[in-house]
Amino acid sequence: MNISKSICSIKNLGGGLHRDFIFFFILILIYEIVYRLNLKSAFFGSGLFYIIIFSLFYAAVSTITVSMFGRKTHKAAETALASLYFLFYSSQMCYYEIFGEYYTMFSAVNGGEAFQFKSAVFHGIENSFAFIAADFIALAVFILLSIKNSDFLILRGRELVTTVACAAIMFCIALISLLPGGTSVLSPYDTYMNSASAADMRLDKFGIMTTFRVDFERYFLGIPDVTAIQAEDRDDNLDAGDGAEEYEKYEPNVMNIDFNAIAESRSDESLKAMDEYFAGRQPTYKNSMSGIYEGYNFIYITAEGFSPYAIDKELTPTLYKMYSQGYNFTDFYNPIWGVSTSDGEYVNCQGLIPKSGVWSMSKSHDNYLPFTFGNQFKKLGYDTLAYHNHSYGYYDRDKSHPNMGYDYKGLGNGLNVTKQWPESDLEMMENTVDEYIGSEKFHVYYMTVSGHMLYNFGGNRMAAKNREAVKELSYSEACKAYISCNIEFDKAMEYLLGRLEEAGIAEKTVIAVAADHYPYGLENSEISEFLGHDVDTQFELYKSCFLLYVPGMEPVTVDKSCSTLDILPTLSNMFGLEYDSRLLMGRDIFSESEPLVVFNSKNWITDKGRFIADKGEFTAFDSSTEENFDEYTDLINSHVSNMFKVSAEILGKDYYRTVLGE
């Protein structure tokens, strides 16, 4: 009799678990597949395998969660949890459609700045509607089957412990499945364990649930990173380049820092590893461009969504003049990072790779930042001011920008511009130039907003304002609106240059303009309109322009591959500022160093070729060469991995303070 009851109990347990587990597994897998389709990247591959493995674990956890509710509330708990999954996946798809990235735990906790713009949210829902609808249908079917099927389980005592143990075993199996691929850089193990791995790499290999779960664990639990800075068996060519001999007469751009001595005094092993890394890192050397702008004024602009598509001889003549009569960087890239505009500013202003999962610029607001232009020029006695013509506290700029050395004003704390969407760059210039034009020496930083998405003539005031100028163009409405937005930026630059000329200081003022990111508010098909061919989304999508201009200069063409990461060290050298090239992740473009352009996906470009990380594919620029590049790609991959890791540690550990103090 007792044996019969036990067998019956086991059958009931298995039946209940089977039903709940299968339902949740299928639901989560459908959501992951739909999101993967929405990513517009390769669908098949090892990532699909890991998504299935980890989905088994999530289904087990979901089963345990709902089984702990009583009989009267069990179905309601199932519905609530399934609905929560639907909202999570749908909101992530909507966010991805707006920004081309997933939202992190940090962004969710800090209010989701992006969702303050209703038009952007509606745009995201509209563009991902088919995928959201598919998820909703899956949810509806799940709820109907749940209501219809009365076979469910309430776990208590030993049954609960046993089931939790089974879930734990599933999780261990998922982790063990990472090991056959090895633990080298870019392996599934490295991508999962390395906190410096970009989110889009985790998305490709593990799906959105695992990506967010790992982010959640590191945000709330502070789980330490198990991957260390890789030892680099490197040769001098990685940094020195083939023409290094001609630079022998120059000194390295370094400061008097004894990293080895500092390392010996450390008790913190991660900081010690950083010291040892920098002690062995090859610096870049001073060169013929060193100090050529020493004593000049400097105006630096991060231009919202700026790109070569905004430059037109007739429609944006001032931008065209700066582009054609200044330094022409023919192979310049502007990678997009995890927090779009804020991370773009961070790279432009701090010369470091943003840390995944946080707002790096905001997180740096208490750190010691000796190499930012604001702090550097302030130390030299310059007036240092910063302006942004949108909400002054957006992305915590009211905290980060003063820490970079600026007297900062934005809309709401001293900058008087008309509140609209987006605000006018021209109006910002008209209301700020008088604050510094009479100074003996000044450095000014601007973050513009007129070029912001959405690119239409209905909700975008700057596009509507300049619509007449683009009405005859043969582009789609979005492309016309994009150019129209940037006509406002061109007017702002025309006003600025005019005021500098009137004051007689134009030829002693350096102006630099770099974008925060490519115009992701345009669809790839719309960007292809500008290019005249389908855009390559691995590299060409991020190809941009860096305007570096001094009125009256002779034009200079620079063919070396470079990116926004290189701006800080390049201009620091040109202004003759004191900095240590080993402590920045970018490189002085005019130095002897080999070019290295790094993307958030861990793709990269050097003078030898291009590497696509998720495919492990290197393409040499010289197709006739028979050289084996395996050792070379391993070397660069290790170096790139270190750049991400080291940048994250500089931010998280306030590393500059530990070696330079204040």
Side-chain angles (χ1 to χ4, degrees):
M1 189 75 169
N2 291 333
I3 295 175
S4 176
K5 287 183 177 179
S6 298
I7 294 174
C8 182
S9 176
I10 292 172
K11 285 183 177 180
N12 290 337
L13 171 63
L17 283 175
H18 172 79
R19 180 268 203 193
D20 283 351
F21 177 81
I22 292 297
F23 277 18
F24 274 110
F25 173 70
I26 292 175
L27 182 71
I28 293 169
L29 191 58
I30 288 173
Y31 285 170
E32 286 287 352
I33 288 173
V34 170
Y35 190 87
R36 194 168 179 84
L37 290 170
N38 190 47
L39 287 176
K40 305 177 181 69
S41 58
F43 180 79
F44 295 101
S46 62
L48 199 57
F49 167 76
Y50 290 115
I51 285 173
I52 293 171
I53 293 295
F54 277 98
S55 293
L56 290 169
F57 166 68
Y58 300 134
V61 172
S62 301
T63 301
I64 293 169
T65 301
V66 299
S67 69
M68 297 177 71
F69 287 83
R71 292 185 176 278
K72 293 183 178 180
T73 57
H74 184 89
K75 292 185 184 297
E78 280 187 329
T79 300
L81 185 57
S83 299
L84 182 63
Y85 288 153
F86 167 75
L87 291 174
F88 169 71
Y89 280 92
S90 298
S91 62
Q92 286 285 10
M93 280 191 287
C94 179
Y95 191 94
Y96 180 81
E97 281 298 327
I98 299 170
F99 297 103
E101 298 287 345
Y102 97 113
Y103 64 79
T104 64
M105 191 68 231
F106 189 95
S107 294
V109 170
N110 285 274
E113 300 259 340
F115 291 111
Q116 290 185 22
F117 300 110
K118 293 180 181 179
S119 59
V121 175
F122 291 142
H123 171 78
I125 294 173
E126 179 183 3
N127 281 18
S128 57
F129 181 78
F131 299 101
I132 293 175
D135 279 356
F136 183 78
I137 291 171
L139 173 65
V141 171
F142 177 93
I143 293 173
L144 288 173
L145 290 175
S146 175
I147 293 173
K148 184 177 180 181
N149 195 320
S150 60
D151 185 19
F152 59 85
L153 181 72
I154 306 300
L155 289 176
R156 295 289 186 270
R158 184 179 299 175
E159 292 175 346
L160 177 61
V161 173
T162 302
T163 309
V164 170
C166 289
I169 291 171
M170 287 183 183
F171 183 68
C172 291
I173 291 172
L175 293 182
I176 292 170
S177 71
L178 303 174
L179 296 177
T183 60
S184 61
V185 174
L186 299 181
S187 66
Y189 177 90
D190 177 67
T191 302
Y192 182 91
M193 295 294 186
N194 190 346
S195 66
S197 292
D200 53 357
M201 292 192 69
R202 283 205 191 94
L203 285 174
D204 179 66
K205 283 187 167 67
F206 303 109
I208 186 64
M209 182 75 86
T210 299
T211 298
F212 195 80
R213 195 207 81 239
V214 171
D215 186 26
F216 180 94
E217 290 170 353
R218 286 179 175 146
Y219 182 86
F220 283 110
L221 305 179
I223 294 176
D225 198 343
V226 300
T227 60
I229 297 170
Q230 303 289 317
E232 295 184 6
D233 181 18
R234 52 198 295 145
D235 57 49
D236 289 340
N237 286 335
L238 182 62
D239 286 303
D242 296 332
E245 295 80 7
E246 66 180 276
Y247 291 89
E248 290 180 355
K249 61 183 178 181
Y250 296 108
E251 297 177 347
N253 255 319
V254 297
M255 299 169 70
N256 185 23
I257 307 172
D258 190 340
F259 289 109
N260 289 319
I262 295 173
E264 289 179 4
S265 67
R266 298 281 197 197
S267 58
D268 186 311
E269 289 300 318
S270 63
L271 287 175
K272 185 174 182 177
M274 294 275 284
D275 300 330
E276 293 170 348
Y277 170 81
F278 287 120
R281 194 170 189 225
Q282 182 76 17
T284 57
Y285 283 71
K286 295 180 181 180
N287 48 70
S288 60
M289 305 298 284
S290 299
I292 63 168
Y293 295 132
E294 189 171 351
Y296 279 55
N297 300 310
F298 179 36
I299 298 174
Y300 188 23
I301 300 171
T302 295
E304 173 63 48
F306 183 61
S307 76
Y309 322 132
I311 299 175
D312 184 272
K313 189 174 183 179
E314 303 299 328
L315 295 172
T316 53
T318 304
L319 296 174
Y320 180 82
K321 178 171 69 173
M322 296 175 66
Y323 176 75
S324 60
Q325 297 180 20
Y327 291 86
N328 182 10
F329 298 89
T330 62
D331 201 35
F332 181 83
Y333 295 85
N334 184 11
I336 190 170
W337 308 95
V339 194
S340 57
T341 294
S342 184
D343 275 358
E345 271 196 286
Y346 183 74
V347 173
N348 290 356
C349 295
Q350 299 196 30
L352 299 171
I353 293 173
K355 183 178 180 179
S356 178
V358 302
W359 296 350
S360 296
M361 184 71 93
S362 173
K363 291 288 284 185
S364 73
H365 81 273
D366 282 332
N367 285 8
Y368 179 50
L369 306 175
F371 303 130
T372 59
F373 290 126
N375 285 323
Q376 287 275 49
F377 283 102
K378 193 173 192 175
K379 188 169 62 175
L380 296 175
Y382 280 59
D383 289 340
T384 54
L385 305 97
Y387 303 98
H388 175 47
N389 50 332
H390 188 55
S391 300
Y392 75 97
Y394 202 75
Y395 283 129
D396 296 333
R397 288 188 179 96
D398 55 324
K399 299 175 183 177
S400 61
H401 286 40
N403 191 47
M404 290 195 295
Y406 298 111
D407 292 328
Y408 168 68
K409 291 182 181 180
L411 180 59
N413 78 326
L415 179 60
N416 297 314
V417 295
T418 304
K419 188 175 182 179
Q420 54 189 321
W421 180 250
E423 287 79 14
S424 168
D425 294 342
L426 172 59
E427 194 176 350
M428 175 168 62
M429 291 296 177
E430 291 173 339
N431 283 279
T432 58
V433 171
D434 283 332
E435 296 186 6
Y436 58 82
I437 198 77
S439 300
E440 183 180 350
K441 291 181 180 179
F442 60 82
H443 160 51
V444 182
Y445 173 71
Y446 286 102
M447 175 70 228
T448 73
V449 76
S450 288
H452 204 290
M453 61 179 291
L454 297 172
Y455 301 121
N456 56 46
F457 296 108
N460 190 308
R461 296 293 296 273
M462 294 303 107
K465 177 181 178 181
N466 300 298
R467 183 175 190 174
E468 189 68 19
V470 300
K471 67 177 183 179
E472 299 300 328
L473 297 179
S474 58
Y475 294 126
S476 62
E477 178 178 319
C479 292
K480 286 192 222 180
Y482 175 73
I483 295 174
S484 188
C485 288
N486 281 282
I487 289 175
E488 190 71 10
F489 177 48
D490 183 78
K491 290 177 179 178
M493 298 310 298
E494 179 185 20
Y495 177 83
L496 175 61
L497 288 176
R499 291 297 306 274
L500 293 173
E501 290 284 353
E502 289 174 11
I505 57 174
E507 294 187 357
K508 291 291 290 183
T509 303
V510 177
I511 304 172
V513 178
D516 51 349
H517 50 70
Y518 80 97
Y520 54 67
L522 294 172
E523 298 290 336
N524 289 346
S525 59
E526 291 160 347
I527 290 176
S528 298
E529 287 184 51
F530 286 121
L531 295 171
H533 60 263
D534 289 342
V535 63
D536 160 42
T537 57
Q538 296 284 3
F539 300 103
E540 188 179 31
L541 184 64
Y542 310 105
K543 192 165 185 180
S544 190
C545 55
F546 171 39
L547 304 184
L548 183 58
Y549 177 70
V550 181
M553 69 175 287
E554 289 294 322
V556 177
T557 298
V558 183
D559 294 326
K560 189 176 184 179
S561 298
C562 50
S563 73
T564 49
L565 201 59
D566 301 318
I567 292 175
L568 185 65
T570 300
L571 293 181
S572 294
N573 178 66
M574 297 176 84
F575 281 104
L577 303 177
E578 183 185 25
Y579 75 104
D580 195 313
S581 57
R582 296 169 296 179
L583 288 168
L584 298 174
M585 295 302 103
R587 301 163 180 221
D588 174 9
I589 298 168
F590 296 106
S591 73
E592 78 296 344
S593 65
E594 176 187 3
L596 177 60
V597 177
V598 177
F599 299 85
N600 198 35
S601 60
K602 292 192 177 175
N603 291 355
W604 47 259
I605 300 172
T606 67
D607 57 356
K608 291 181 175 61
R610 297 176 171 183
F611 181 76
I612 299 177
D614 63 352
K615 297 180 180 178
E617 178 181 290
F618 178 77
T619 303
F621 289 137
D622 183 357
S623 58
S624 64
T625 183
E626 296 181 0
E627 182 180 352
N628 188 325
F629 286 100
D630 289 347
E631 185 176 341
Y632 177 76
T633 56
D634 288 344
L635 183 69
I636 304 297
N637 280 335
S638 177
H639 182 57
V640 169
S641 178
N642 282 344
M643 290 171 67
F644 277 80
K645 177 71 176 178
V646 167
S647 291
E649 291 290 88
I650 289 174
L651 176 67
K653 297 279 189 177
D654 195 5
Y655 181 75
Y656 291 154
R657 191 186 303 275
T658 71
V659 293
L660 293 170
E662 293 189 52

